[in-house]
Amino acid sequence: MAADRGASVIAWSGPLVVGIGASAGGLIAYEAFFAAMPADSGMAFVLVQHLDPDHESALAEILASYTAMLVDFARDGMIPVANTVTIIPPGTILTIHNGHLRLTRAPSVKARRMVVDLFLVSLADDQGPNAVGIILSGYGSDGTAGIAAIKERGGLTMCEAAFDHHAKLGMPQSAADSGFVDLVLPVGDMPAALLAYQF
């Protein structure tokens, strides 16, 4: 797909890369999202969640029961490919450069609280208008700067609606208040909006 939705120096012909950030309440939101997203959308999904660095995460196994897409944790150097769901491993910082995912250990608690922003800003820089940023349920404001970066580089931005009963409103409300969010929707409506945007 040609990335021609806005001014950008990026010329990217890979799948639409959808970065999704969440924290508290994120699992319920992810389940609602992937239950409504066709497995053959042609998009690559990258999930950036606030995870406990001291415990293994079962998020991949849980989400695999809601989608037929391949769901796995990110590995350094991976390329996001269509019809897959890639998840940030606990205790890491995930970014994307030249189309490849890059993993480093989170150096501090502060860095772990900014994992959504760090990924989305790198996604905006790397993919330009081929990037989508979505903020789901969570406390705090992580993701707001990343949403602004994606919007400024011609990508699409969404956040979970305040009237969605699943949402913990800090992260999506902060993103919406920034003025850089294109669509504020219940999670279950986001897949249809993404498909309409893509085509």
Side-chain angles (χ1 to χ4, degrees):
M1 175 178 95
D4 59 358
R5 296 187 179 90
S8 173
V9 296
I10 305 293
W12 184 255
S13 59
L16 203 65
V17 181
V18 183
I20 306 177
S23 183
L27 179 57
I28 295 173
Y30 287 142
E31 291 172 354
F33 181 91
F34 286 107
M37 174 58 72
D40 60 352
S41 70
M43 302 177 215
F45 300 91
V46 181
L47 276 53
V48 186
Q49 170 87 12
H50 293 167
L51 298 170
D52 187 335
D54 299 320
H55 294 87
E56 290 187 10
S57 172
L59 185 56
E61 294 177 22
I62 294 169
L63 291 184
S65 65
Y66 287 88
T67 179
M69 286 185 277
L70 176 66
V71 182
D72 202 358
F73 286 98
R75 297 181 301 279
D76 190 58
M78 286 179 68
I79 296 175
V81 297
N83 306 322
T84 64
V85 181
T86 305
I87 302 171
I88 186 173
T92 64
I93 301 297
L94 180 65
T95 55
I96 183 169
H97 300 286
N98 296 322
H100 292 75
L101 296 176
R102 295 300 178 191
L103 278 175
T104 57
R105 298 300 302 177
S108 64
V109 172
K110 181 179 180 181
R112 291 199 302 269
R113 291 173 179 164
M114 298 173 58
V115 291
V116 180
D117 273 332
L118 291 170
F119 178 73
L120 293 182
V121 169
S122 75
L123 180 64
D125 290 341
D126 194 67
Q127 297 289 307
N130 198 55
V132 175
I134 298 177
I135 302 299
L136 301 181
S137 178
Y139 297 117
S141 60
D142 190 19
T144 299
I147 285 292
I150 287 177
K151 182 62 179 173
E152 288 172 344
R153 288 161 180 80
L156 177 69
T157 56
M158 299 184 189
C159 71
E160 187 168 358
F163 53 82
D164 189 327
H165 68 280
H166 298 310
K168 306 296 187 291
L169 298 180
M171 286 172 58
Q173 190 63 57
S174 176
D177 289 347
S178 74
F180 290 100
V181 174
D182 294 304
L183 299 170
V184 179
L185 297 169
V187 178
D189 292 346
M190 290 179 177
L194 274 173
L195 291 169
Y197 174 77
Q198 179 177 237
F199 298 109

